[in-house]
Amino acid sequence: DELPRQRQRELRRSKVHAYRLLGSEFTRFDAEWERKFRRACGGIILASVPDLTLTPIARPFRVTITPPGSKSLTNRALILAALADGASEVSNLLLADDTLVMLDGLQKLGFEITRCDQSVSLEGRGGRIEAKSAELFCGNSGTTIRFLAALCAIGKGSYLLDGVARMRQRPIHELVTMLRNLGARVEYLGSEGHPPVRILADGLGGGILGYGAAASSQFLSAVLMVSPCARHEVRIDLQGKQTSWPYVA
């Protein structure tokens, strides 16, 4: 049966969003679009969730379930795998917008990634970034742009990080300040304190930082993950109660 018009519009909007997320101008909805989108996503398409009816359970039950992975933990695990020396396998991956743009960004930086179902095999470079230049489209993923910005800072080259219009309203100044204090060169290409940013990297020097409470733990996580790759010691003095402490403890 033909889909109701409202449903057709919803599916059309989801395709527009998903394909624009990957930075393409291509918006036709035909076999060519399907082919390009599948290739860009590694053969995986996140379909719209169908209508779901939940019936209350009338009696006690016992069941074992596996919840989906966390995008915050998934993107942290992918960065750590890239920093490791050798192959790592990350399983129970959450396949969502944030993790797809993270995988795309890591591939553009030269990391070899093999994906199978909800697992990823990633060949780490031991703190090296193979690509000497890259333009990284981060969609509206805060974890992606913040973690990749810190990762790019340990490389050697020029790296541009940007996203959708909403991303350009999201703060990144606390991370940029920390990276600059550790010796990184970071330029704002638009509004001060917001993406897009260009990182002119020559490795991370090191140093001593003071870090107060912030709206997100992602700034601190980003610097902590790349600090072992700095040329000299990195010391961060935490001031005040930290946000989302379990992510960095």
Side-chain angles (χ1 to χ4, degrees), residues 65-84:
I65 64 170
T66 301
S70 155
K71 68 177 183 180
S72 295
L73 295 180
T74 294
N75 277 355
R76 284 171 167 84
L78 291 173
I79 291 292
L80 292 173
L83 290 167

Side-chain angles (χ1 to χ4, degrees), residues 4-79:
R5 289 185 179 180
Q6 177 64 25
R7 185 62 173 155
Q8 292 182 38
R9 286 195 294 268
E10 290 173 357
L11 290 172
R12 185 176 291 262
R13 282 197 299 268
S14 70
K15 284 187 175 183
V16 168
H17 168 71
Y19 207 76
R20 283 179 180 167
L21 176 71
L22 298 173
S24 174
E25 297 296 326
F26 188 75
T27 55
R28 292 180 57 201
F29 305 103
D30 53 18
E32 179 70 6
W33 181 93
E34 204 78 18
R35 182 182 64 80
K36 288 189 175 184
F37 186 44
R38 283 184 183 276
R39 185 175 60 192
C41 288
I44 296 177
I45 289 184
L46 304 181
S48 298
V49 178
D51 294 338
L52 182 65
T53 301
L54 298 179
T55 304
I57 298 173
R59 60 182 183 275
F61 65 93
R62 183 186 299 271
V63 66
T64 300
I65 64 170
T66 301
S70 155
K71 68 177 183 180
S72 295
L73 295 180
T74 294
N75 277 355
R76 284 171 167 84
L78 291 173
I79 291 292

Side-chain angles (χ1 to χ4, degrees), residues 156-176:
K156 292 183 181 293
S158 176
Y159 309 97
L160 172 65
L161 296 94
D162 199 3
V164 298
R166 177 68 181 93
M167 174 65 81
R168 297 184 175 190
Q169 301 171 355
R170 303 185 67 175
I172 199 172
H173 66 278
E174 288 169 295
L175 173 61
V176 169

